Amino acid sequence: MTSSAYVFGHVPAATGDHKVLRVFTAVYDGRTIRQPCEVLTVVSGDDGEQQRWRPAPSPPVPVDTLDPRHRAVTGGVAHFLVPQRAEYDVIVSFDLAAEQWRPSLLRCPLPKAKRHCHSSSLSLVELNGCLAFVHPDYRAYAMDMWLLVDLEKGPAWVRVESLPLGKILRNKQEIMARPLMVLEDGRIVFWVRAPYNVVRVYNPRTGECEETVDFGKLTSIVGLYRGDLLGLNQY
């Protein structure tokens, strides 16, 4: 069995390029046997040399190429959540500017004994430029989020106030809410997947949750476009 994951990100420093990381997984007899990687620089015009896939190193540990919830890009770095048999899951990161995997693994903020959910329910998201670790605690019926911040001693996880899942999810059929962004007034935009695929905006100050978009049952993934919509007219 084979699968591939494509991660698109912007390199904010130096050239400001947009790049795509492709991780290819080959599985035999239930085991990941190799994960070759490639990088593509996305440029405008007809520069064919730049728009060719270039080989990149394989990750230091096998990464998940099936579940898009287990990867996110922030600040030119692609992060992959890697479940472990040990007490803590880890995150492995690829630097899009250097086109190299970072040698050190980042430990997730929550030990398995305190998760009260399966690894498949965890997710990584980019929230307003920060990497967020999202944990749905089904025992407490709450959503906990940690933000990765840079401190003097290095990166550290900072826990955000727990959010009540009962305000975001409307019935027992809805089991997953993925945060998309934090608005300027502090409200949080969520995509609630299955069975209805809707976007809801939760206000932590008032506890109100408003449904804004209904994508229908056929939608499988939702993303954000942060560019200028007027600029699309030139394409």
Side-chain angles (χ1 to χ4, degrees):
M1 184 184 73
T2 62
S3 64
S4 295
Y6 293 83
V7 181
F8 177 79
H10 174 243
V11 182
T15 61
D17 289 332
H18 290 82
K19 294 184 178 182
V20 181
L21 168 67
R22 176 167 62 185
V23 183
F24 177 81
T25 300
V27 178
Y28 177 75
D29 196 23
R31 294 184 178 182
T32 299
I33 56 175
R34 62 189 186 96
Q35 284 192 310
C37 300
E38 295 178 311
V39 176
L40 174 72
T41 301
V42 181
V43 296
S44 59
D46 299 323
D47 192 346
E49 291 295 326
Q50 284 288 332
Q51 299 197 62
R52 291 180 180 176
W53 289 101
R54 303 181 297 278
S58 296
V61 295
V63 300
D64 182 7
T65 54
L66 294 176
D67 193 342
R69 292 179 297 170
H70 286 177
R71 51 185 181 264
V73 180
T74 61
V77 179
H79 304 278
F80 294 79
L81 174 64
V82 182
Q84 299 285 297
R85 294 182 179 179
E87 182 181 6
Y88 287 86
D89 295 331
V90 297
I91 295 172
V92 59
S93 304
F94 183 85
D95 189 319
L96 290 170
E99 299 185 3
Q100 296 286 334
W101 293 93
R102 291 182 172 177
S104 59
L105 304 180
L106 178 64
R107 193 175 74 171
C108 292
L110 196 65
K112 290 184 177 180
K114 296 183 178 180
R115 273 199 331 224
H116 307 144
C117 72
H118 192 268
S119 296
S120 60
S121 298
L122 304 173
S123 61
L124 298 178
V125 298
E126 182 269 333
L127 286 180
N128 295 35
C130 294
L131 178 66
F133 175 87
V134 182
H135 161 240
D137 186 343
Y138 293 118
R139 180 178 295 183
Y141 209 54
M143 175 180 290
D144 298 326
M145 289 190 292
W146 281 260
L147 298 180
L148 186 65
V149 298
D150 288 325
L151 302 178
E152 293 183 0
K153 297 181 180 180
W157 293 105
V158 176
R159 184 177 178 180
V160 182
E161 182 179 359
S162 294
L163 304 176
L165 277 176
K167 295 287 187 178
I168 303 168
L169 305 179
R170 300 285 173 84
N171 55 64
K172 294 182 179 180
Q173 292 179 298
E174 297 179 347
I175 60 174
M176 192 277 288
R178 179 181 174 89
L180 295 177
M181 66 182 301
V182 180
L183 302 178
E184 293 182 357
D185 58 4
R187 292 181 299 161
I188 305 174
V189 182
F190 287 91
W191 172 42
V192 180
R193 180 182 178 185
Y196 306 111
N197 295 299
V198 298
V199 172
R200 296 187 181 127
V201 180
Y202 175 72
N203 190 330
R205 291 178 295 180
T206 64
E208 297 179 352
C209 189
E210 177 186 5
E211 188 165 308
T212 58
V213 182
D214 184 346
F215 288 103
K217 295 183 178 181
L218 298 180
T219 303
S220 59
I221 191 169
V222 172
L224 292 176
Y225 175 72
R226 300 183 183 276
D228 183 2
L229 291 175
L230 297 178
L232 294 176
N233 294 330
Q234 61 181 313
Y235 296 102

